[in-house]
Amino acid sequence: MSARGAHPRRGPLEEPAWVRFALIGITLGFLGLFLLLPLTAVFFEAFRKGPIAWWAAVTQPDVLSAVRLTLVVTAIAVPLNAAFGLVAAWALGKFRFRGRLVLITLIDLPLSISPVISGLVFVLIFGARGWFGPTLREHDIKVIFDTPGLVLATVFVTFPYVARELVAHLEEQGTDPEQAAVSLGASGWTTFWRVTLPSAKWALLYGLVLCNARAMGEFGAVSVVSGHVRGETNTLPLEVEILYNEYDFVGAFAAASLLALLAIVTLLLKTVLERHEARIAERGSGTRSGDTEISR
Amino acid sequence: MSVRAENITKSFGAARALDSVSLDVPSGSLVALVGPSGSGKTTLLRILAGLEFADPGSGSIRLDGEDVAALSVGERRVGFVFQHYALFRNMTVFENVAFGLRARPRKLRPTEAAIRARVTDLLERVQMPQFAERLPTQLSGGQRQRVALARALAIEPRVLLLDEPFGALDAQVRTELRRWLVQLHAELHVTSLFVTHDQAEALEVADRVAVMNKGRIEQVGLPEEIYYRPATEFVASFLGEANRYAGQQSATEVTFGPWKLALSEDAPRIAGRVRVYLRPQDVEVEHLATRSAGAVEARIARLHAAGPAVRLELVLGDGSALWAELSQRRQAALALREGLTVGVYPRAWRTYSARDGA
């Protein structure tokens, strides 16, 4: 051993030091440049004129209304997509039928289409001169340039997230646990709530986080169907753009900082949930010796 | 509770997985369904369980005389054990076993105390009481399969169906769990049917063995019947190795390899071309000096002495190879070694008509 001391001992998968440093350096550099720097810039610009100016900017009625609208749209779109994602994933992950692969490809469609086009499609369908425009006007229902249109566009753009996470999970897991459950006499309902859903929990949560982030931040599709009425049909990302175009940089960045904060809160929430879950699992295995004594 | 399947046919598209299969599992017995992969054994098991359905209009399945064709898997009350355990990963061992009881409709559900008592009892039976609060991921493969078995037993199944229950385990755990299953079956007497591709396992564990091939059952019988009197060429070739010969049989004698042998009383009366199966342990090996009349000369090319039996790789006069096997005790008496020339003759063999094909 000592005779070969010239070579440092390292594991079979460990690279030489310079490779490690280079890889870590590139990762950190990239993250810093493309993630940390812009994020810092947002907050830096937002607080450039001090916290009082920031507070004044974010409490403008228009900004507050945009925050409210964004939250409302998200609060409708995310549960809708969660429900749809579960149903679609169940169908695609558990059954084999003709056209299944086509459906899987279709689910990813919103990810590959430019959001602007998605928005335009809804204008074409529900707009004043669109397919259903006259019918909708007769019944005095407003879709485009109003909240329903925003919800529609957001749902369309964000529906792949939950579904594809779940499909991948269910495919990997197979149907053995479900078959075991029904062979033990469980109903389909019980099997879903007690076996399928708990095992898919993390995939679902991860899909929800992605879906939520995208729903709050969506710009393109929403921009087309919104109509940009300040204080009424402007979501937060749209408000940011308008403020920026009006050279109200503090206002724009303050609103942007709110968006960033929402995203950070979402991520934190996910982490806290994960930790909590891990702790429960640990506690379960930690108390086993004690439990054994009792059960004997 | 007996199981009786009659004329079950199952097709997947154009392929026939089961071709008019009938099987009887007597009450309280432990039956093995053995065959190579793709022989339809798992399909038959899943159809009995209700996890799959036979072709419409084909045959019937009876549990204790009751036709269960119209019953769903849950209503049939069969315990199913999967090759890869299929435990609920989000539940503790205890909750896994309790699942079938908790899933019952409220009116039929036992009280919490009764559930506790039953699960605790079952965990004792499968020798896992100290693992009640663990999650499946914290158990070894053998332990998981025990839990899966306890879970299936919890619903007091009319019949226990096991799909390659030891297939995913390593050799040592397999053997141990096999013996344990036999013991458990002796205690509980629950009618059981298990699928395996391992003929040794089937012969060791089961009271009765059904050998499947290409969607049909080739033979059903006691393990020793199957082993010593394989009904078809397939069964003979599937259960253990054999030296194979093309031969010729007349009313009184059979010719194969270097031998011409008189037929015994109970030999199948086939005339013409036959295929002959000669098991290594049915090859008698003797010293040249004291060899019997029918024995021919063979040279010991290789001798494998490590193991429960001594295996010989022999070369006959015409250059053909022959496997022989003898007990360690016999080897001690004969003191055979590589390079030695000995006399060999078949003590027993099976012949099958060459026209049947296989």
Side-chain angles (χ1 to χ4, degrees), chain A residues 57-110:
Chain A
V58 298
T59 49
Q60 291 175 63
D62 287 354
V63 173
L64 281 181
S65 130
V67 170
R68 207 175 306 124
L69 186 60
T70 296
L71 290 178
V72 165
V73 168
T74 308
I76 300 173
V78 172
L80 263 181
N81 277 332
F84 167 77
L86 273 171
V87 173
W90 180 262
L92 294 170
K94 298 282 173 181
F95 304 121
R96 296 285 173 271
F97 52 89
R98 202 175 299 207
R100 182 173 161 271
L101 288 176
V102 178
L103 263 179
I104 288 186
T105 315
L106 271 181
I107 279 191
D108 280 347
L109 195 68

Side-chain angles (χ1 to χ4, degrees), chain A residues 169 172-173 176-177 179-186 190-191 194-195 198-199 281 284-285 288 291-292 295-296, chain B residues 46 51 73-74 78 80 82 86 88-91 95 99-100 102-103 120 129-130 133-135 138 151-152 155:
Chain A
H169 167 83
E172 182 217 315
Q173 176 131 97
D176 272 7
Q179 292 186 11
V182 294
S183 83
L184 291 166
T190 308
T191 303
R194 292 209 49 209
V195 176
S199 82
S285 58
R288 66 183 172 249
D291 276 16
T292 312
S295 68
R296 274 181 183 158
Chain B
R46 292 174 60 85
L51 290 169
V73 47
V78 295
F80 201 94
F82 295 79
F88 307 131
R89 285 197 277 180
N90 51 303
M91 296 178 206
E95 287 306 318
F99 184 88
R102 294 201 199 285
T120 309
Q130 68 274 37
E133 296 307 318
R134 288 215 196 169
L135 290 171
Q138 298 166 321
R151 182 178 68 176
I155 58 167

Side-chain angles (χ1 to χ4, degrees), chain B residues 71-244:
Chain B
L71 297 187
S72 73
V73 47
E75 292 163 334
R76 288 187 192 187
R77 215 151 55 81
V78 295
F80 201 94
V81 175
F82 295 79
Q83 179 175 4
H84 297 287
Y85 332 120
L87 292 179
F88 307 131
R89 285 197 277 180
N90 51 303
M91 296 178 206
T92 60
V93 164
F94 186 95
E95 287 306 318
N96 263 281
V97 178
F99 184 88
L101 301 173
R102 294 201 199 285
R104 284 188 189 165
R106 191 152 296 149
K107 270 185 254 161
L108 302 172
R109 197 181 304 158
T111 62
E112 185 59 32
I115 292 178
R116 290 222 145 250
R118 173 127 185 92
V119 173
T120 309
D121 175 54
L122 277 165
L123 288 178
E124 299 264 343
R125 263 193 201 286
V126 299
Q127 302 157 9
M128 298 278 295
Q130 68 274 37
F131 299 108
E133 296 307 318
R134 288 215 196 169
L135 290 171
T137 45
Q138 298 166 321
L139 302 178
S140 72
Q143 292 172 331
R144 287 183 203 187
Q145 201 54 297
R146 286 167 195 261
V147 175
L149 199 60
R151 182 178 68 176
L153 288 171
I155 58 167
E156 290 171 59
R158 302 203 273 187
V159 47
L160 194 57
L161 303 172
L162 307 105
D163 184 12
E164 297 265 9
F166 316 126
L169 303 171
D170 53 45
Q172 210 169 348
V173 182
R174 248 180 118 100
T175 322
E176 190 192 308
L177 221 54
R178 236 187 236 177
R179 303 221 166 103
W180 172 78
L181 178 69
V182 174
Q183 227 174 53
L184 192 73
H185 180 259
E187 283 169 30
L188 299 175
H189 284 296
V190 54
T191 309
S192 310
L193 178 64
F194 82 101
V195 155
T196 175
H197 63 268
D198 180 345
Q199 28 92 12
E201 185 170 291
L203 295 176
E204 182 187 319
V205 172
D207 321 327
R208 287 159 68 82
V209 177
V211 184
M212 286 196 75
N213 181 36
K214 293 182 184 161
R216 288 173 165 278
I217 291 185
E218 298 253 339
Q219 187 178 4
V220 185
L222 302 174
E224 50 272 29
E225 278 173 3
I226 301 272
Y227 188 77
Y228 289 110
R229 290 191 293 285
T232 67
E233 193 178 345
F234 172 80
V235 177
S237 65
F238 185 70
L239 295 178
E241 13 163 43
N243 299 287
R244 296 187 203 193

Side-chain angles (χ1 to χ4, degrees), chain A residues 22-34 36:
Chain A
L23 287 176
I24 294 172
I26 289 172
T27 310
L28 287 182
F30 202 85
L31 280 179
L33 189 63
F34 289 97
L36 225 51

